[in-house]
Amino acid sequence: MARHLVMASRFLEDDPELAYRHAMAAQARGGRVGVVREAAGIAAYAAGHYDEALAELRAARRITGDSSYWPVMADCERGLGRPERALSMAGSAEVGRLDRAAQIEMRIVAAGARRDLGQHDAAVVTLQGPELQSAKRAPWTVRLWYAYADALLAAGRADEAEDWFGRVASLDDLGETDASDRLAEIQGVGFLDDWEGPAEPEPEPEPEPEPEPEDAGSLPETGQDRAEDVSEGDERAENDGPATEDVGASADLSEAAESSAVGTAPSESDDTPTGAGPSADLVEPSSGEPVVEESVRSGPVPLPQVVFTEPPPAEPQDDDRLF
């Protein structure tokens, strides 16, 4: 039992739920001991189990006859949603038997009950008294001034609340309250601890790669392309028809001219070919290779006709005659 009480006291501020379990374990072993019931009630109150806290503190009061936890019991009534009962306890005769510190706590609880009922101005009046204006610092001074500043702020008196929060912040060296944060909140001042630093610039989106050009020869031929090819072929056929006829006519004229030229032109030797047309004149080269000279014609030009000739055999000299 003693070990559980020690552990409950150790974890009361850091881990109220664990302290509550240790206290209830001790209460299960020593339920008739007043200090055990007080420890169980305080641990339950810190953990938010107000119904069990109220029951344990009432049992401890019956066992010990001590009413020092009367303000805590009244605050349990507030936690259970019964502020009227808390106000009733604040006006009972038990308050007169409390010490000065417990009476200040009872006034703080009563002011909270007034605020629960929406009576904000009455809550401010409940906290006023000679202790509030005392220049001497007492154990309850920080809590009383903080409760008064909070009540002023709830009543819409922000300027006065700012003054009182400043007084509390100057006295609260141990950090029992969050008066500094509340003062900064009223003044609109932020803290560096809450600053997350400059926002990082958003990365620019990467440009999408341009699609590579596809080879036109590998593209599939569509119906429209085939239709265009057919139409181009028809146009080409229409354009080539008259040209073919002109070529045929020109060939007939060329054959007639060749026949007339063969009959009139004198031949130099028997080896001169008679089938050459007028479109090309043969010049006998010294090396034996033919040279083609093309004649200029009007109209379509036929392909040149190349005829290879052999040079005539040299006549033998008299000196070289064979016998």
Side-chain angles (χ1 to χ4, degrees):
M1 180 182 67
R3 293 180 180 179
H4 284 295
L5 290 177
V6 172
M7 297 303 294
S9 175
R10 179 177 298 179
F11 291 107
L12 186 62
E13 294 183 0
D14 298 335
D15 194 347
E17 189 64 30
L18 181 58
Y20 164 73
R21 293 200 296 266
H22 280 290
M24 296 307 294
Q27 188 267 353
R29 292 168 174 80
R32 295 184 179 182
V33 180
V35 66
V36 175
R37 306 300 291 268
E38 288 181 4
I42 295 301
Y45 173 77
H49 304 289
Y50 300 117
D51 51 349
E52 296 184 12
L54 186 58
E56 294 297 326
L57 292 175
R58 284 174 179 174
R61 180 171 175 267
R62 287 194 303 267
I63 295 172
T64 62
D66 186 8
S67 301
S68 58
Y69 290 103
W70 191 259
V72 180
M73 295 168 62
D75 204 29
C76 288
E77 295 288 355
R78 286 188 57 210
L80 294 173
R82 300 191 292 255
E84 297 86 355
R85 291 190 181 183
L87 290 176
S88 177
M89 293 177 65
S92 64
E94 294 290 336
V95 178
R97 293 191 288 268
L98 299 175
D99 58 6
R100 197 65 177 167
Q103 290 179 359
I104 298 298
E105 289 294 332
M106 192 71 247
R107 288 166 57 183
I108 294 174
V109 173
R114 294 289 184 185
R115 291 178 56 184
D116 293 341
L117 296 173
Q119 303 172 3
H120 300 291
D121 294 334
V124 173
V125 174
T126 302
L127 294 171
Q128 292 176 351
E131 298 82 7
L132 191 63
Q133 303 298 332
S134 176
K136 184 179 179 181
R137 180 176 179 177
W140 59 79
T141 301
V142 174
R143 286 182 52 79
L144 179 61
W145 286 6
Y146 183 87
Y148 187 66
D150 197 19
L152 288 172
L153 185 61
R157 299 158 66 174
D159 295 338
E160 299 178 55
E162 179 181 356
D163 179 52
W164 282 97
F165 275 127
R167 295 184 186 185
V168 175
S170 63
L171 293 178
D172 191 8
D173 300 332
L174 301 177
E176 298 179 4
T177 64
D178 60 346
S180 299
D181 296 341
R182 300 292 298 276
L183 179 62
E185 182 180 354
I186 295 174
Q187 295 175 349
V189 179
F191 292 93
L192 293 178
D193 295 340
D194 301 332
W195 187 52
E196 299 180 355
E200 297 182 358
E202 297 181 357
E204 297 181 358
E206 297 181 359
E208 297 181 358
E210 297 182 358
E212 297 182 358
E214 298 181 359
D215 188 4
S218 62
L219 293 178
E221 185 178 4
T222 62
Q224 183 177 0
D225 296 336
R226 289 194 294 269
E228 291 178 356
D229 294 341
V230 172
S231 62
E232 290 179 358
D234 296 340
E235 294 178 358
R236 195 179 300 112
E238 293 176 358
N239 295 331
D240 294 342
T244 305
E245 295 176 358
D246 294 341
V247 171
S250 300
D252 297 339
L253 293 176
S254 298
E255 292 177 357
E258 289 176 1
S259 61
S260 61
V262 170
T264 56
S267 59
E268 295 179 357
S269 64
D270 296 338
D271 295 333
T272 302
T274 60
S279 60
D281 296 335
L282 298 179
V283 178
E284 183 179 354
S286 61
S287 61
E289 296 181 358
V291 177
V292 180
E293 293 183 0
E294 297 183 0
S295 59
V296 180
R297 293 176 178 272
S298 61
V301 180
L303 294 176
Q305 184 175 3
V306 180
V307 178
F308 294 91
T309 58
E310 295 181 359
E315 296 180 359
Q317 300 294 331
D318 296 336
D319 294 336
D320 294 332
R321 294 178 179 176
L322 299 178
F323 296 95

